[in-house]
Structure formats: C-alpha cells, structure tokens
Amino acid sequence: MASLSKAGAALAALREDLAGEAFAPGDPGYDEARTVHNGMIDRRPAVIAQCVDEDDVVRAVRFGRELDLNIAVRGGGHSVAGMALNDGGLVVDLRRMHEVTVHPAAEAVRVGGGATMSHLDRATQPYDLATTGGRASTTGVGGFVLGGGTGWLDRCCGLAVDNLLGVELVTADGNRIHANADENPELFWALHGGGGNFGIATAITLKLHELPAFSIALLLYLPEHGPEVVRTYRDLIAVAPVEAAGGVIYLTGPPEEFVPPHLVGTLLCGMLLTYAGGEDDMRKLAEPLLALPHEAEIVGAMPYADVQCMIDDPPGLRNYWSAEYVSQAPDDFVDVFCDRAHSMPVPSGTQHVLFPQGGAIADGPHDYPVPYRDAPWAVHPFAAWEDPADDDRAIQWVRNVRADVQPWSTGAVYLNFIGDEGTDRVEAGLGAENARRLAAVKRQYDPDNVYRFNHNITPA
C-alpha cells in the first residue's frame, strides 16, 4: 500500500485525468456509487472510478497498480456475492460505458462493457434481431456473456457465449488487447466461460439472430397443482421445437392486475412458456398447460425486450442464490422439487425455478469451459428477501434445495447462478480439464491475479 501522501497525489491526478468521475469515502455520491443489486453487500472501496471510455479504464487500472490496490470491476453489479466491490481497494465502474451499436447487415452488435440487457435488447429490437440474454433486464451484458450466458433464447440461439464474436480488453498491466477467433485465439477460448479473470471487457461483439415475433404463456396455478404442472411442462418441452423455452417458477403472488387479489402474497406455481415465434404456434404448443386449472394467465404476442423485464427483482433486496444441473427430471425428482417450494420464504421476492436446456445449448461447441451444457434441466433456487432476520432461513432454504436434488445432479454448474461457494464449485463451473488450461491462460495475461474479484482462476 502506498503512503498517504502518494495516494493523495495519485488520486488527485486520477481525478484530473479521468473523463469520468472518481469517488472516495466522504464524497457526495460515494454511497450511491457503492450500492449494488444485493442488499446484503456493504463494502467501502477506497476509490470508485466511473469510466466513460476505454482510456479511462486504462488510467484507472494503472492508478490501481501504482498504489498496489485490489481491483474489482463493476458492470451490471448483479454478482450475488458482490464481486463488483471490495473493501479499501479500487472499483473500475463501467456503467457509463453502455453504448450499443447494431450492425444489422452483419447480424452483429457491439456492446459497451457497462451495458445491461435492457440496453442491448432495446437497441436490437427495432431491427427484429436479438441474441441470448439474461432473464433480468438489469443484468450486465459483459459478465453475463463471459460467464456463459443462459436465457429465454438459448434453446434456439445457443448460450450467449456461443454467440461471442470478439472482446476488447484492458489487461492487468493497463494494456489494450483484442481477442477473437483469429487474434489471441487461446485467450478468446478462455473468455467463453472464464469470466473476468483475464482483463476488463470494455466492449464485446455478439452474433444476432432474426426474431420477428415473440410470444408467451404465463400461467399461475395453486401450488397443489405444481407436480402436474411440472410433469406436463416437462413432457411438452421434450418434444417441443427449439423455439420453445421458459420454465416453472414457484413465487409469491405479485400485486399485478392479472393476479386475483386473494392470491397476492401467497405461494403460487408459475409456468412461463416462451416462444421465439408467433402467437398461434405458441398457443397450440401451450394447450396441455392451458387445460390445467389455473388462476391467472397472460397469453399472447409480446416484444422480447418486454418479456426480459417480466421477472426482474427490485434492487436492494437481500439475495442468496445457487444452482444444480440435473441429468433427468423423473416423477420422483418432480415431487422433491415441488415439495421444497412449500418451505421457501413467502411472501418475498424468492423464486424456485426449473429451467429446460437442450436444443442449441446441447448442440453447441463442446470445447468451451461451460460443462453444464449437456444437462437437460437446471434447478435455480433464487432467494430474495427484505428482513435481515430472515437471512438464516432464506440461505438454508437455498442449501436445502441443492441437497434435495443431489441424487440427480451432474455436478456441473453455471457460475453466474451462484455466489462464493469455494474453489471446488468454481472448478465444477469450468470443468476440471478446462480449469487447468484456463490457469495457463491466466498466468499469461494476469500472472499476479490482479483480477481476482470473480469466480477466480489462479495462475498456474
């Protein structure tokens, strides 16, 4: 750590040099700048550099290295473990770098390192184009993609990382580098699931897909019908075209117009069938689900960017998530999954989710470090609540979900769905052989492990 006088002079120089702003404790706006999505995270960085361009990122990284500060990188700030922040170090905040440039003729899009899903989806929608994005509009695109990326379009368009065309990075020594299939190909491979371990992604380029229409069926059932709903959805998706996706989501009845007032605040079983196509085809597909007794429904065509906002959880809630990927979903698994819903915190923002995979996910490139690709189902216990007194209960519920489904688990996991669960789980999210190869790439591009506020890969 540098002396106080040196640190003060360096901070003054950084403030002078940045086109953006630098915040330190006590500055107006500091507390707002250090607030992230998860209300459980309360960290106090020494400096938050809000960058507006790649030059600012270079300046910030060199400042951090000069003072030997720990460096965290903030894109969307959605890491459940609060990896966008640290205590006493530097945060390179990319949120002002959210420009999105669509190249419709090339079916490609360049996305700034601080852009969220909403920035991306709203920019591509006028062209009837889209790419696989996260299931919340406030998720940061960069961390989502580099961590693998699963969403409503993955069964037809592949994982987000399967659509990665190029990445612009600032390395740990403050240099700029570009990676694609031809330029730094080993680094490019590592960025297909290795996350932010190798540099700060100031921009990424993604492949786009034609999406002229999108439609959904959102149905809410009483929880006692949950097992029948899951089995019906399971059997439907097994023979459905790849355009069909969605999931089963146990949740607290939200205070929305389409929800009967007496069900608001109670446990419900939700089923969301998404369809990358027109309403008529979606309705035919949804017939078995519509035939089951349900309490509320939204069925019809809807812009994809609007669907992306449908299950956003508000910022500031306390969050704890995890995931297990399972090899099959037989009836006994369905019963176990549904039983656990009855102990989830209600009312709260908690969601108990079962997502399908298959389609273009399973058919995608198998050499990338995303070992969960072959699992047909993902279980995602997503606890979100307000009262700190509920912390132990909510966290234990997530852990109980994981324990319940262990008999069917493949052992692989999607790292963006989990918090800090130790090095074994990081390896489970990368694959053992991939982890060794990634460690060699890490040694080449970040030998001092400067970028370690992430699902960390230590240099070999």
Side-chain angles (χ1 to χ4, degrees), residues 23-34:
F23 296 90
D27 289 345
Y30 171 79
D31 284 332
E32 183 180 357
R34 72 182 183 89

Side-chain angles (χ1 to χ4, degrees), residues 171-458:
T171 61
D173 54 9
N175 290 325
R176 307 162 203 255
I177 193 170
H178 186 264
N180 59 28
D182 300 315
E183 190 176 355
N184 299 304
E186 185 69 1
L187 173 61
F188 188 56
W189 169 84
L191 294 167
H192 285 73
N197 273 281
F198 312 101
I200 299 176
T202 56
I204 62 175
T205 302
L206 298 166
K207 178 183 177 182
L208 294 172
H209 303 261
E210 292 184 9
L211 189 68
F214 200 76
S215 49
I216 67 163
L218 173 62
L219 308 176
L220 296 180
Y221 306 83
L222 295 177
E224 53 263 36
H225 297 302
E228 187 178 9
V229 172
V230 176
R231 286 192 289 268
T232 302
Y233 178 73
R234 174 199 65 193
D235 296 344
L236 178 156
I237 210 76
V239 296
V242 295
E243 288 79 12
V248 177
I249 307 170
Y250 280 92
L251 75 168
T252 296
E256 302 287 350
E257 280 188 21
F258 75 101
V259 180
H262 70 283
L263 296 178
V264 172
T266 70
L267 178 66
L268 295 173
C269 176
M271 192 291 309
L272 176 62
L273 177 66
T274 62
Y275 191 76
E279 179 179 350
D280 290 347
D281 288 340
M282 181 276 297
R283 282 185 176 272
K284 290 175 186 173
L285 192 62
E287 283 176 0
L289 293 158
L290 288 164
L292 298 177
H294 54 281
E295 308 302 309
E297 67 174 61
I298 297 176
V299 183
M302 183 178 291
Y304 170 69
D306 292 350
V307 175
Q308 286 284 71
C309 306
M310 285 189 66
I311 60 171
D312 284 2
D313 58 320
L317 294 178
R318 305 173 75 77
N319 280 253
Y320 186 85
W321 324 328
S322 195
E324 288 291 338
Y325 280 70
V326 297
S327 59
Q328 53 183 321
D331 287 350
D332 52 350
F333 163 85
V334 171
D335 292 340
V336 167
F337 173 82
C338 294
D339 284 348
R340 181 53 66 185
H342 294 276
S343 60
M344 64 187 267
V346 173
S348 74
T350 298
Q351 298 170 8
H352 184 36
V353 187
L354 182 66
F355 291 128
Q357 294 213 115
I361 305 170
D363 293 339
H366 276 68
D367 62 331
Y368 294 153
V370 283
Y372 51 87
R373 183 187 294 279
D374 289 329
W377 294 97
V379 178
H380 183 31
F382 183 106
W385 68 100
E386 291 187 51
D387 190 346
D390 289 331
D391 285 3
D392 290 346
R393 175 188 170 204
I395 291 169
Q396 190 58 53
W397 175 78
V398 170
R399 292 173 176 168
N400 287 342
V401 173
R402 282 195 60 205
D404 286 348
V405 302
Q406 278 298 317
W408 300 276
S409 175
T410 67
V413 68
Y414 171 43
L415 293 177
N416 285 353
F417 272 174
I418 72 170
D420 183 0
E421 297 184 4
T423 55
D424 287 349
R425 284 283 271 176
V426 173
E427 185 169 301
L430 301 170
E433 289 188 20
N434 293 328
R436 288 187 286 272
R437 183 176 169 188
L438 289 162
V441 180
K442 178 77 169 182
R443 184 181 68 240
Q444 180 179 354
Y445 290 96
D446 185 12
D448 299 323
N449 203 13
V450 171
Y451 298 128
R452 61 180 177 273
F453 290 88
N454 46 43
H455 290 296
N456 193 235
I457 298 164
T458 56

